[in-house]
Amino acid sequence: MPKRLTILNANHYVGNRTRRKWRQAMAAHKAAVVTVQEGDLAGDLPGYVTVAAPPWMPRPARSVRIYVRDDLADQVDGIACHRLTDQVPGYRWGHTRWVTVVLLRGGWAVMCIHANPGAAGVPKSNAQNIRYINGLDALADAYARLGYRRVVAAGDWNRPEGDVATAPPGTPGQLARRWSGTVRLHRIDGYVVRPTVTLKRFEVLPNPGSDHRATIATVTVAKAAE
């Protein structure tokens, strides 16, 4: 596996009439890995293998899906799906939250995440986000012990980037602080990486039909981790 990866992330909240256009737009960037949220209706991407698309998620808002470019399919060591939180009763967006993971040769672990938006006055919702971030932190440690130390968490964080030093619990900034890593988002979509990974490029892309923008990042092995 190369020491450099391009990872495209997109929330696929689009209607049926835009699905084909969306798939063509995402595939055209030829990223090594594509992570998709709300992607139950996304279907296959031309030129990609769908490696993680849990079939038991009944609603698009619960889906976290990963694609790997065809020519890198033989670099996949494994895939996993982890249920990190349970549903929050009485809160519209407090459904069960998952993370999918693809393990790639060369020690890469790419996570596709989708946190909930949280809500003032709904303490259980914010507690759910704290559990979700805690779960991602624990998973990164577990995969590192297996030799997959180059961890990238990509997705819809439903939280702004903020200041890492003062980021409250349950936010991507808190996770970056715990990892001593880097966070880079456009509004609420983007990446958190461990210090074994350097985020070299970050670009915001069109996302046809969606109320989110897609992002693409180039990540490399940090010099200290070589």
Side-chain angles (χ1 to χ4, degrees):
M1 196 70 189
K3 294 184 177 181
R4 177 185 299 263
L5 280 181
T6 53
I7 302 172
L8 188 150
N9 179 73
N11 184 307
H12 166 268
Y13 190 67
V14 300
N16 290 340
R17 287 179 295 180
T18 60
R19 275 191 290 169
R20 182 176 179 182
K21 182 179 180 181
W22 181 88
R23 289 195 295 264
Q24 292 173 338
M26 296 303 103
H29 297 286
K30 301 187 183 302
V33 179
V34 178
T35 54
V36 180
Q37 302 81 50
E38 304 191 48
D40 287 4
L41 300 178
D44 295 328
L45 288 183
Y48 285 81
V49 176
T50 306
V51 295
W56 56 87
M57 293 183 183
R59 293 175 55 194
R62 301 182 185 185
S63 180
V64 279
R65 178 181 292 236
I66 302 178
Y67 303 87
V68 172
R69 206 173 60 221
D70 279 346
D71 61 303
L72 297 175
D74 62 350
Q75 301 294 310
V76 175
D77 283 343
I79 59 174
C81 181
H82 303 274
R83 176 175 172 168
L84 296 188
T85 69
D86 294 323
Q87 186 171 354
V88 179
Y91 175 50
R92 180 183 178 188
W93 305 115
H95 43 66
T96 303
R97 295 286 172 171
W98 304 76
V99 57
T100 48
V101 185
V102 61
L103 304 175
L104 300 168
R105 292 179 190 173
W108 292 95
V110 180
M111 300 177 172
C112 181
I113 72 94
H114 192 187
N116 85 43
V122 188
K124 288 183 179 180
S125 169
N126 295 315
Q128 185 194 46
N129 266 13
I130 292 171
R131 288 195 298 273
Y132 194 76
I133 293 296
N134 289 346
L136 294 175
D137 191 21
L139 283 176
D141 285 343
Y143 284 118
R145 288 194 293 271
L146 294 173
Y148 297 93
R149 299 184 300 111
R150 297 161 187 168
V151 180
V152 180
D156 177 357
W157 298 87
N158 269 312
R159 291 288 195 282
E161 184 170 329
D163 181 79
V164 172
T166 59
T171 62
Q174 183 209 20
L175 185 61
R177 185 169 67 240
R178 283 190 179 182
W179 286 357
S180 299
T182 303
V183 57
R184 189 68 190 275
L185 310 182
H186 172 69
R187 294 183 60 244
I188 59 176
D189 301 284
Y191 313 85
V192 179
V193 302
R194 286 185 55 121
T196 49
V197 175
T198 299
L199 206 159
K200 288 283 190 181
R201 177 177 70 108
F202 177 86
E203 185 179 346
V204 181
L205 306 171
N207 194 7
S210 177
D211 57 351
H212 295 249
R213 296 290 295 275
T215 59
I216 191 168
T218 299
V219 293
T220 64
V221 178
K223 289 185 177 180
E226 290 181 342

